[in-house]
Amino acid sequence: MSNPSILILAGDGIGPEVMAEVKKIINWYGDKRSIKFDVSEDLVGGCAYDKHGTPLHDDTMAKAQEVDAVLLGAVGGPKYDDLDFSVKPERGLLRLRKEMDLYSNLRPAQCFDALADFSSLKRDVVAGLDIVIVRELTSGIYFGEPRGIITEGNERVGINTQRYTESEIARVARSAFELARRRNNKVCSMEKANVMESGILWRQVVTEIHQKEYSDVELSHMYADAGAMQLCRWPKQFDVIVTDNLFGDLLSDAAAMLTGSLGMLPSASLGAPMANGRPKALYEPVHGSAPDIAGQGKANPIACVLSFAMALRYSFDLGDEADRLEKAVEKVLADGVRTADLLGEEGVTPVSTSEMGDKIVEALDASLA
Ligand code: IPM
Ligand code: MG
């Protein structure tokens, strides 16, 4: 049987730097655990535009459809700010999500004990936090038609459309309920049913799926604005949050800060099962391309490393190895190793991106002893 396949799309900004550390870890699994992957690499985002005039070449799109998992770094940067909307770096990422039909985006926000003091919130509010935001990723206002900037009379009008079909809501709701069953059996669904028809339908469909298929799971509903407030007030009341594409984008950035740094948060974007039974999948850190620190060795590779841990768990059925990698990260943090985004303690000098990767590899070695 051939090895499982991975397509690496490191992208722009700090993407290639953080991905270099993931490659060390992929090699470690090959050398030390005889878990080998067939790795290929390609371009996405601004770097793809520079080479091909498009943020995602059709050949790259076709490759992404074939592999067992795509690992993505980050896209975008100020150099591309003035490009036409249709070829902006972000369009490459959005095309991948849409054409691979990755409707369920899991964004765990976990606060490592060693980092509880880095959060802008008090230690007891965040210590031990472990929640997952399930964000609908292929529909809603990100993709709804009509959209565009038109002229009406003597002024311009910007238009986007929030649109959800019943089946789109049902499938992401199921994925949240399934996840909750493997965790603490609790889902909170967030929308704005008080002002949006799409929110009314969202609430109805989530409730129906719950009653028919998942009545063993505890379900609550919250307006998304109140949900944002509750996330900051007492985030540990949540376990799994399910929400739409735009609210999920906002709520997951807010949740990221509960954990101390945006440099810590991984994500998995999952679609329907492929022939081998595993979901179509793309893994990426929640953070962006951070052009202000790109190329300086300052970036925190942990979000990207933890995204690979999610790949081990969800695409390769290697839950024990995912645990091993997550524990290695936890150990390195407990030992006081910090990249520049995690400073604040006295007398701590930051390590570089690559030193952080080396420390994680050392901790993996130690896990075999
Ligand atoms: C995210 C990002 C993306 C989004 C951008 C880069 C298109 O903010 O993954 O959260 O808005 O979905
Ligand atoms: Mg975002």
Side-chain angles (χ1 to χ4, degrees):
M1 234 176 70
S2 58
N3 297 325
S5 54
I6 293 178
L7 173 63
I8 291 186
L9 303 173
D12 307 320
I14 60 171
E17 290 161 64
V18 294
M19 198 57 86
E21 304 317 305
V22 174
K23 286 187 219 163
K24 285 182 190 166
I25 288 162
I26 293 176
N27 290 337
W28 184 89
Y29 275 101
D31 295 344
K32 302 288 174 76
R33 304 291 298 151
S34 301
I35 298 170
K36 307 217 184 278
F37 298 97
D38 288 336
V39 179
S40 54
E41 290 194 53
D42 212 328
L43 304 173
V44 68
C47 59
Y49 175 81
D50 289 338
K51 178 139 187 236
H52 302 298
T54 162
L56 188 72
H57 194 278
D58 288 344
D59 293 348
T60 317
M61 186 64 242
K63 267 191 238 170
Q65 296 282 20
E66 277 160 23
V67 290
D68 294 308
V70 178
L71 304 184
L72 190 136
V75 294
K79 181 179 162 195
Y80 308 104
D81 279 353
D82 296 328
L83 284 184
D84 185 72
F85 183 74
S86 64
V87 290
K88 276 192 183 298
E90 291 77 7
R91 303 309 304 167
L93 173 58
L94 293 169
R95 181 175 173 203
L96 279 165
R97 290 174 178 172
K98 186 70 177 173
E99 291 191 21
M100 292 172 76
D101 203 16
L102 306 171
Y103 59 88
S104 176
N105 178 219
L106 313 188
R107 298 191 158 188
Q110 224 179 330
C111 183
F112 289 89
D113 203 50
L115 298 186
D117 293 319
F118 288 90
S119 173
S120 47
L121 299 185
K122 294 191 192 86
R123 171 175 265 275
D124 67 314
V125 176
V126 296
L129 179 74
D130 178 2
I131 62 175
V132 183
I133 296 182
V134 179
R135 167 188 177 194
E136 197 293 322
L137 201 61
T138 51
S139 184
I141 201 159
Y142 270 56
F143 296 98
E145 301 280 349
R147 63 186 300 162
I149 301 176
I150 60 166
T151 305
E152 230 174 55
N154 54 8
E155 66 171 352
R156 288 165 300 161
V157 183
I159 300 171
N160 289 94
T161 302
Q162 166 86 335
R163 182 177 192 278
Y164 270 108
T165 65
E166 231 180 306
S167 53
E168 286 168 342
I169 301 168
R171 65 183 187 170
V172 73
R174 284 195 183 94
S175 108
F177 286 126
E178 290 290 338
L179 179 67
R181 275 187 179 159
R182 284 182 269 127
R183 293 173 49 95
N184 297 307
N185 231 31
K186 203 163 88 169
V187 171
C188 181
S189 169
M190 295 188 189
E191 28 52 20
K192 276 186 67 76
N194 51 345
V195 285
M196 297 163 76
E197 284 82 356
S198 62
I200 296 176
L201 183 68
W202 182 282
R203 192 175 281 219
Q204 283 170 357
V205 173
V206 171
T207 304
E208 287 158 17
I209 297 287
H210 175 249
Q211 280 166 357
K212 281 192 211 127
E213 300 169 36
Y214 296 95
S215 56
D216 54 304
V217 178
E218 188 187 321
L219 172 67
S220 59
H221 304 272
M222 241 179 231
Y223 297 140
D225 53 346
M229 182 270 284
Q230 290 295 343
L231 257 182
C232 302
R233 191 185 72 85
W234 191 243
K236 285 187 247 178
Q237 69 187 281
F238 299 113
D239 186 49
V240 173
I241 293 173
V242 63
T243 189
D244 76 12
N245 204 342
L246 182 60
F247 293 144
D249 184 41
L250 306 180
L251 293 169
S252 63
D253 264 30
M257 277 322 287
L258 303 174
T259 71
S261 167
L262 194 50
M264 298 290 303
L265 258 77
S267 82
S269 306
L270 307 175
M274 300 184 283
N276 64 10
R278 302 266 142 238
K280 223 170 229 195
L282 179 147
Y283 299 88
E284 57 173 322
V286 171
H287 65 66
S289 62
D292 52 324
I293 58 161
Q296 301 171 30
K298 286 186 185 165
N300 184 348
I302 290 180
C304 203
V305 168
L306 291 177
S307 300
F308 179 62
M310 294 186 86
L312 291 172
R313 182 170 290 119
Y314 294 109
S315 285
F316 304 120
D317 216 5
L318 294 167
D320 291 347
E321 297 300 337
D323 289 346
R324 179 195 303 282
L325 181 51
E326 286 164 0
K327 287 208 183 87
V329 168
E330 199 171 343
K331 158 111 186 15
V332 165
L333 293 171
D335 288 348
V337 182
R338 305 279 184 260
T339 39
D341 55 314
L342 298 173
L343 288 185
E345 296 147 310
E346 254 172 70
V348 180
T349 15
V351 298
S352 68
T353 309
S354 137
E355 285 164 337
M356 179 59 96
D358 292 342
K359 290 285 180 196
I360 296 170
V361 168
E362 274 172 35
L364 284 171
D365 278 334
S367 76
L368 299 177

